[in-house]
Amino acid sequence: MLDTTPLTRAVDHFADRLRAAPQSRLQRGAAAEALGLARELALRAQRLEDPSGEPREMPDAGMFAAADQITVAVHDLAVVLTTEEEVVDAVRLVEEAQQRAGV
């Protein structure tokens, strides 16, 4: 079984920082960055689960839901990852998004 703990830890940290961030920080782009990450993680999970299927875009549920959206997306992705390289790549995506979000 593939260990996806580094990925879930990285996204849990990002989600915690988003939940603790002031509304002004979320409005200045942190929430949009998180939504973009959630959409990318969800897309990757969908492609791994059903490569021939039509991808569905994660909806924008509002800035206060961004932390929950990245958490859901990463847990869906973690279930379908098959290689350590995929885990490392996903962790990198999360860390870069968090840095851009400034939280």
Side-chain angles (χ1 to χ4, degrees):
M1 180 172 210
L2 183 64
D3 181 15
T4 59
T5 304
L7 177 56
T8 55
R9 281 189 185 152
V11 90
D12 287 346
H13 181 261
F14 187 13
D16 288 345
R17 300 296 299 155
L18 287 167
R19 289 182 185 106
Q23 182 175 348
S24 61
R25 171 80 56 161
L26 295 174
Q27 289 172 325
R28 284 194 310 265
E33 188 65 47
L35 177 60
L37 174 65
R39 286 177 170 166
E40 177 61 28
L41 296 172
L43 180 62
R44 287 177 182 223
Q46 290 174 56
R47 286 183 179 151
L48 288 169
E49 286 180 315
D50 184 10
S52 64
E54 184 68 31
R56 298 164 313 280
E57 184 175 76
M58 182 174 282
D60 184 347
M63 71 178 144
F64 297 114
D68 295 332
Q69 288 184 289
I70 62 170
T71 301
V72 167
V74 86
H75 286 281
D76 286 348
L77 179 61
V79 171
V80 296
L81 293 177
T82 58
T83 69
E84 183 65 31
E85 292 78 26
E86 291 171 332
V87 174
V88 169
D89 186 48
V91 168
R92 180 187 52 77
L93 281 177
V94 171
E95 290 172 346
E96 289 173 356
Q98 182 175 353
Q99 185 176 17
R100 287 190 302 271
V103 294

